[in-house]
mmCIF file of all heavy atoms in Angstrom:
data_model
loop_
_atom_site.group_PDB
_atom_site.id
_atom_site.type_symbol
_atom_site.label_atom_id
_atom_site.label_comp_id
_atom_site.label_asym_id
_atom_site.label_seq_id
_atom_site.Cartn_x
_atom_site.Cartn_y
_atom_site.Cartn_z
ATOM 1 N N LEU A 11 16.104 -37.629 -104.330
ATOM 2 C CA LEU A 11 16.387 -38.487 -103.184
ATOM 3 C C LEU A 11 16.462 -37.737 -101.873
ATOM 4 O O LEU A 11 15.918 -38.207 -100.841
ATOM 5 C CB LEU A 11 17.724 -39.225 -103.430
ATOM 6 C CG LEU A 11 17.728 -40.367 -104.430
ATOM 7 C CD1 LEU A 11 19.123 -40.856 -104.722
ATOM 8 C CD2 LEU A 11 16.879 -41.529 -103.926
ATOM 9 N N ILE A 12 17.082 -36.581 -101.872
ATOM 10 C CA ILE A 12 17.138 -35.738 -100.671
ATOM 11 C C ILE A 12 15.762 -35.308 -100.255
ATOM 12 O O ILE A 12 15.425 -35.347 -99.070
ATOM 13 C CB ILE A 12 18.132 -34.593 -100.869
ATOM 14 C CG1 ILE A 12 19.552 -35.064 -101.010
ATOM 15 C CG2 ILE A 12 17.991 -33.565 -99.725
ATOM 16 C CD1 ILE A 12 20.522 -33.999 -101.422
ATOM 17 N N SER A 13 14.977 -34.894 -101.216
ATOM 18 C CA SER A 13 13.596 -34.516 -100.910
ATOM 19 C C SER A 13 12.778 -35.651 -100.327
ATOM 20 O O SER A 13 12.061 -35.460 -99.323
ATOM 21 C CB SER A 13 12.920 -33.981 -102.176
ATOM 22 O OG SER A 13 11.582 -33.719 -101.966
ATOM 23 N N ASP A 14 12.922 -36.813 -100.918
ATOM 24 C CA ASP A 14 12.253 -38.014 -100.401
ATOM 25 C C ASP A 14 12.744 -38.387 -99.003
ATOM 26 O O ASP A 14 11.926 -38.762 -98.128
ATOM 27 C CB ASP A 14 12.422 -39.199 -101.361
ATOM 28 C CG ASP A 14 11.642 -39.073 -102.636
ATOM 29 O OD1 ASP A 14 10.759 -38.181 -102.695
ATOM 30 O OD2 ASP A 14 11.903 -39.864 -103.566
ATOM 31 N N LEU A 15 14.023 -38.256 -98.773
ATOM 32 C CA LEU A 15 14.589 -38.568 -97.444
ATOM 33 C C LEU A 15 14.022 -37.608 -96.399
ATOM 34 O O LEU A 15 13.643 -38.050 -95.308
ATOM 35 C CB LEU A 15 16.121 -38.454 -97.485
ATOM 36 C CG LEU A 15 16.772 -38.601 -96.093
ATOM 37 C CD1 LEU A 15 16.701 -40.029 -95.642
ATOM 38 C CD2 LEU A 15 18.143 -38.091 -96.134
ATOM 39 N N ILE A 16 13.986 -36.355 -96.678
ATOM 40 C CA ILE A 16 13.478 -35.360 -95.747
ATOM 41 C C ILE A 16 12.005 -35.658 -95.423
ATOM 42 O O ILE A 16 11.577 -35.641 -94.280
ATOM 43 C CB ILE A 16 13.665 -33.945 -96.284
ATOM 44 C CG1 ILE A 16 15.166 -33.605 -96.270
ATOM 45 C CG2 ILE A 16 12.857 -32.918 -95.442
ATOM 46 C CD1 ILE A 16 15.498 -32.310 -97.005
ATOM 47 N N ARG A 17 11.210 -35.935 -96.486
ATOM 48 C CA ARG A 17 9.802 -36.269 -96.272
ATOM 49 C C ARG A 17 9.635 -37.529 -95.439
ATOM 50 O O ARG A 17 8.875 -37.580 -94.472
ATOM 51 C CB ARG A 17 9.100 -36.384 -97.621
ATOM 52 C CG ARG A 17 7.620 -36.615 -97.530
ATOM 53 C CD ARG A 17 6.822 -36.610 -98.829
ATOM 54 N NE ARG A 17 7.531 -37.169 -99.970
ATOM 55 C CZ ARG A 17 8.129 -36.427 -100.958
ATOM 56 N NH1 ARG A 17 8.120 -35.130 -100.891
ATOM 57 N NH2 ARG A 17 8.704 -37.014 -101.981
ATOM 58 N N SER A 18 10.377 -38.635 -95.768
ATOM 59 C CA SER A 18 10.210 -39.866 -95.042
ATOM 60 C C SER A 18 10.735 -39.744 -93.630
ATOM 61 O O SER A 18 10.163 -40.297 -92.708
ATOM 62 C CB SER A 18 10.900 -41.020 -95.777
ATOM 63 O OG SER A 18 12.285 -40.829 -95.820
ATOM 64 N N PHE A 19 11.821 -38.982 -93.403
ATOM 65 C CA PHE A 19 12.353 -38.783 -92.075
ATOM 66 C C PHE A 19 11.341 -37.990 -91.212
ATOM 67 O O PHE A 19 11.120 -38.341 -90.045
ATOM 68 C CB PHE A 19 13.678 -38.025 -92.104
ATOM 69 C CG PHE A 19 14.293 -37.863 -90.763
ATOM 70 C CD1 PHE A 19 14.963 -38.919 -90.131
ATOM 71 C CD2 PHE A 19 14.155 -36.672 -90.069
ATOM 72 C CE1 PHE A 19 15.494 -38.757 -88.881
ATOM 73 C CE2 PHE A 19 14.686 -36.481 -88.798
ATOM 74 C CZ PHE A 19 15.367 -37.537 -88.206
ATOM 75 N N THR A 20 10.725 -36.985 -91.791
ATOM 76 C CA THR A 20 9.687 -36.209 -91.065
ATOM 77 C C THR A 20 8.532 -37.101 -90.672
ATOM 78 O O THR A 20 8.064 -37.038 -89.509
ATOM 79 C CB THR A 20 9.218 -35.030 -91.924
ATOM 80 O OG1 THR A 20 10.369 -34.194 -92.279
ATOM 81 C CG2 THR A 20 8.183 -34.216 -91.165
ATOM 82 N N ILE A 21 8.044 -37.928 -91.574
ATOM 83 C CA ILE A 21 6.972 -38.858 -91.273
ATOM 84 C C ILE A 21 7.410 -39.819 -90.172
ATOM 85 O O ILE A 21 6.650 -40.048 -89.195
ATOM 86 C CB ILE A 21 6.509 -39.586 -92.519
ATOM 87 C CG1 ILE A 21 5.828 -38.624 -93.485
ATOM 88 C CG2 ILE A 21 5.572 -40.732 -92.185
ATOM 89 C CD1 ILE A 21 5.596 -39.190 -94.905
ATOM 90 N N ALA A 22 8.611 -40.405 -90.292
ATOM 91 C CA ALA A 22 9.114 -41.300 -89.285
ATOM 92 C C ALA A 22 9.215 -40.627 -87.928
ATOM 93 O O ALA A 22 8.855 -41.195 -86.898
ATOM 94 C CB ALA A 22 10.487 -41.864 -89.703
#
Side-chain angles (χ1 to χ4, degrees):
L11 284 171
I12 292 171
S13 174
D14 288 347
L15 173 74
I16 291 169
R17 185 175 33 260
S18 65
F19 183 80
T20 302
I21 292 168

